[in-house]
Amino acid sequence: MPNPEVEREVESLRSQLDAWNYQYYVLDQPSVPDAEYDRALRRLRELESQHPELVRPDSPTQRVG
């Protein structure tokens, strides 16, 4: 079972990535450089691979895009 800090970080990353995706794809107004987005997505993938019980079907790591 992951500690609460890991769970909070995963939720925070998901929320941030969802917001950035909305800004980029729906509003056509990217708000962060690609490198920052990629760093956040890599970190989320890393945490989910270390804690597979935290993977959800609606996670940004589970979408094609």
Side-chain angles (χ1 to χ4, degrees):
M1 180 101 189
N3 68 44
E5 286 181 34
V6 171
E7 290 182 34
R8 278 193 296 276
E9 184 177 3
V10 165
E11 285 305 314
S12 176
L13 287 166
R14 284 183 184 142
S15 178
Q16 187 62 70
L17 288 161
D18 284 340
W20 289 340
N21 280 333
Y22 180 80
Q23 292 163 352
Y24 185 88
Y25 290 108
V26 176
L27 301 178
D28 195 25
Q29 296 175 352
S31 60
V32 296
D34 290 347
E36 186 173 345
Y37 178 93
D38 292 342
R39 259 191 309 277
L41 188 59
R42 275 194 305 274
R43 177 65 178 151
L44 179 57
R45 282 189 180 124
E46 176 185 330
L47 289 171
E48 288 181 345
S49 72
Q50 292 170 358
H51 304 280
E53 67 277 10
L54 294 178
V55 176
R56 293 189 334 215
D58 65 339
S59 176
T61 63
Q62 303 301 304
R63 293 185 217 136
V64 176

